[in-house]
Amino acid sequence: MRADKSFIHNLPKAELHVHLDGSLRPRTMFELATEREVVLPVSTIESLASYMMVPEASSLEGYLKRFELTLLVMQDSDALERIAYELVVDHAAENVRWLELRFCPQLNQKQGLPAEEVLDSVLRGMREAENYVAGRGQEIQSAIILCGLRSHSSSVTSETAELAVAYMRRGVCGFDLAGAEAGHPVLNHRHAIKRAYQAGLPITLHAGEGFGPESIQQAIEFGHTSRIGHGTRLFEDPTLMELVRKLRIPLEVCLTSNLQTGVVHSLAEHPVQQYLKLGIPISLSTDNRLMSAVTLTDEYTRARDAFNMTKKELAAIARTGFEHAFTDTARRLDLLHQFDQHVGDSLFQD
Ligand SMILES: [Zn+2]
């Protein structure tokens, strides 16, 4: 059965991979810049939206450059609270029921905001949004994954891990390594990862996006990772692919972002279909709603169009997102129960 737009929109979804500093509303970025007298390279909201969107088949480095601009307006408490609030509200509007948003707190401290205030501001925005949405009869729950940057020193990523552990019961649900992958191996950050892992925080690592399967291998072997961010280049190593299948390590697949960074040259050649056929768990994510100019509903729609996916296949992907959410068993089961009730047994019987 073909999934129409309303089926995809209404489908309860989990978003496991979205960057706070890549997902501002263009209008908000523009207004924050005006209020803070930050000079932008363009002078209207519309031109800002297209300027921030990276052309397809650019490079990871070109893509990452755009973050320097968003971060200019993400250095104070009010801005962070507003951006987090809007991100949760926007996800709720497309029936995302579980949201894990991620960011690297050191990048929001360029004007001296203490790390705890960075986190508290984002958390305040998230909780306000959850309450607002609940008041309108919708439901969304959200949590934070803190990112260490691969290009930072191991002492900086260890600080991030320490912060993540301190906020474990206050809204942080996981630890990640993000940023430029080539030349910055997981091994450089093993202390940070070990700290988070031993404290009981689940790990997801960007790997197999800006570098090849060796990076994924390291993430599994030394990074205690329970999910992989992207994993696009996994297919280059069939033995590793078999290991990922056996261990049931899910890949957080970001189709549009992969096109923009040039990891794949067309969706038709994206390996996600191969992964699905093998039985590797797959979830879909936007990565960056601003730089990619997409919503999660758009990503599902792109998957449907590029791979001719049925309702059942798209629903299975959505369910995988909930299965691998970084939350406790009770909440995961509750989310899955709600998902199954919405989708109904009939969908899985055809
Ligand atoms: Zn990412």
Side-chain angles (χ1 to χ4, degrees):
M1 278 192 292
R2 185 174 164 80
D4 58 24
K5 189 94 183 171
S6 74
F7 172 84
I8 295 174
H9 173 83
N10 292 329
L11 188 65
K13 294 174 280 294
E15 171 58 281
L16 306 182
H17 189 131
V18 61
H19 294 262
L20 185 70
D21 48 342
S23 302
L24 292 72
R25 292 178 186 167
R27 172 180 293 278
T28 298
M29 183 176 171
F30 193 85
E31 288 175 3
L32 291 174
T34 308
E35 287 163 18
R36 284 154 186 76
E37 298 180 345
V38 167
V39 179
L40 296 173
V42 287
S43 57
T44 64
I45 296 168
E46 294 70 29
S47 52
L48 182 63
S50 58
Y51 180 86
M52 292 307 290
M53 195 193 142
V54 184
E56 289 183 4
S58 169
S59 67
L60 183 57
E61 286 66 28
Y63 194 83
L64 295 177
K65 268 251 165 248
R66 298 298 198 285
F67 291 86
E68 291 172 15
L69 215 50
T70 56
L71 285 164
L72 289 176
V73 300
M74 298 180 73
Q75 301 299 328
D76 62 89
S77 185
D78 288 352
L80 289 167
E81 186 176 330
R82 175 175 174 182
I83 292 163
Y85 175 90
E86 291 175 352
L87 191 58
V88 174
V89 167
D90 290 349
H91 278 94
E94 53 167 332
N95 291 301
V96 171
R97 301 280 172 85
W98 175 253
L99 167 65
E100 295 174 14
L101 58 87
R102 61 181 78 193
F103 63 98
C104 169
Q106 281 90 357
L107 300 179
N108 308 106
Q109 294 183 265
K110 292 184 177 152
Q111 290 169 13
L113 194 65
E116 289 75 14
E117 278 189 42
V118 172
L119 255 88
D120 291 343
S121 308
V122 172
L123 282 166
R124 214 162 36 244
M126 289 160 61
R127 301 304 169 232
E128 278 168 25
E130 288 171 359
N131 290 337
Y132 167 76
V133 160
R136 295 165 62 98
Q138 291 172 303
E139 199 180 335
I140 184 167
Q141 300 177 76
S142 57
I144 293 172
I145 295 174
L146 281 192
C147 306
L149 283 198
R150 283 171 176 267
S151 54
H152 281 169
S153 69
S154 66
S155 62
V156 175
T157 52
S158 291
E159 269 174 37
T160 315
E162 211 56 62
L163 190 65
V165 171
Y167 275 78
M168 264 179 80
R169 282 170 242 300
R170 288 185 280 160
V172 170
C173 70
F175 183 74
D176 170 38
L177 282 182
E181 195 179 342
H184 303 287
V186 164
L187 274 172
N188 290 0
H189 304 287
R190 59 188 180 280
H191 296 302
I193 291 169
K194 195 172 162 197
R195 175 70 181 115
Y197 179 73
Q198 289 188 340
L201 263 183
I203 313 288
T204 175
L205 300 173
H206 281 73
E209 179 195 19
F211 202 68
E214 301 91 325
S215 176
I216 302 173
Q217 175 101 37
Q218 272 203 10
I220 297 168
E221 212 172 317
F222 308 108
H224 301 287
T225 201
S226 34
R227 301 194 314 234
I228 299 277
H230 296 282
T232 320
R233 293 181 60 185
L234 175 64
F235 72 95
E236 294 174 23
D237 183 340
T239 311
L240 184 63
M241 195 155 61
E242 177 55 19
L243 180 71
V244 169
R245 186 193 67 79
K246 259 197 200 150
L247 296 175
R248 288 196 50 78
I249 298 175
L251 308 181
E252 303 155 3
V253 172
C254 310
L255 296 172
T256 307
S257 167
N258 285 169
L259 266 179
Q260 290 173 305
T261 57
V263 190
V264 295
H265 298 295
S266 69
L267 285 188
E269 68 180 58
H270 198 288
V272 66
Q273 284 204 96
Q274 190 183 346
Y275 300 154
L276 282 166
K277 269 196 198 113
L278 281 171
I280 293 172
I282 295 294
S283 64
L284 287 178
S285 284
T286 57
D287 209 8
N288 297 289
R289 294 166 76 95
L290 176 63
M291 279 72 162
S292 293
V294 284
T295 62
L296 191 55
T297 302
D298 294 333
E299 291 291 298
Y300 275 75
T301 308
R302 280 198 138 179
R304 177 200 69 186
D305 295 343
F307 313 120
N308 218 7
M309 281 184 176
T310 61
K311 281 185 179 179
K312 189 172 162 181
E313 287 166 331
L314 291 169
I317 288 175
R319 197 175 196 283
T320 301
F322 291 109
E323 286 167 9
H324 296 277
F326 283 167
T327 187
D328 56 77
T329 308
R331 179 143 63 176
R332 186 178 310 107
L333 289 176
D334 186 44
L335 287 164
L336 283 167
H337 178 67
Q338 285 179 34
F339 176 87
D340 291 344
Q341 276 198 325
H342 175 92
V343 173
D345 293 337
S346 59
L347 189 60
F348 289 94
Q349 284 164 2
D350 66 18

